[in-house]
Amino acid sequence: MRHLARLADYCSITNMHTKNLAIVWAPNLLRSKQIESACFSGTAAFMEVRIQSVVVEFILNHVDVLFSSKLSSVIRDGAGVSR
């Protein structure tokens, strides 16, 4: 994810900003067996892929926070969890 976020930094040259990267990579990063099955129609499959791309775009826009060592230690230590 950090690599894709770095690619987005060069969007002025490549035109691959986070939205474009998300559209291209979301179906592979968030693969869904439901979409691949025959039960999804074209419209439903499109909506599912759209949701996936929004999620990947969010991750790419917040990669520094989501994958920071500080956040990882908070999650690992269970801080902020009321018991």
Side-chain angles (χ1 to χ4, degrees):
M1 293 307 282
R2 288 182 188 196
H3 175 69
L4 292 177
R6 268 192 305 262
L7 286 175
D9 291 340
Y10 296 95
C11 66
S12 62
I13 298 167
T14 64
N15 200 34
M16 291 301 287
H17 45 80
T18 55
K19 186 174 191 117
N20 285 346
L21 289 167
I23 290 167
V24 171
W25 283 95
N28 291 307
L29 294 172
L30 301 176
R31 193 169 190 167
S32 172
K33 289 182 182 181
Q34 288 178 327
I35 292 175
E36 294 172 2
S37 70
C39 68
F40 262 76
S41 68
T43 304
F46 175 77
M47 291 305 295
E48 187 73 18
V49 170
R50 173 74 180 121
I51 292 167
Q52 290 174 338
S53 69
V54 168
V55 170
V56 171
E57 184 179 2
F58 175 85
I59 293 169
L60 290 175
N61 286 327
H62 298 91
V63 73
D64 292 335
V65 174
L66 294 171
F67 295 100
S68 73
S69 58
K70 185 176 180 179
L71 180 63
S72 297
S73 66
V74 168
I75 292 170
R76 184 179 52 249
D77 296 340
V81 176
S82 60
R83 297 178 188 186

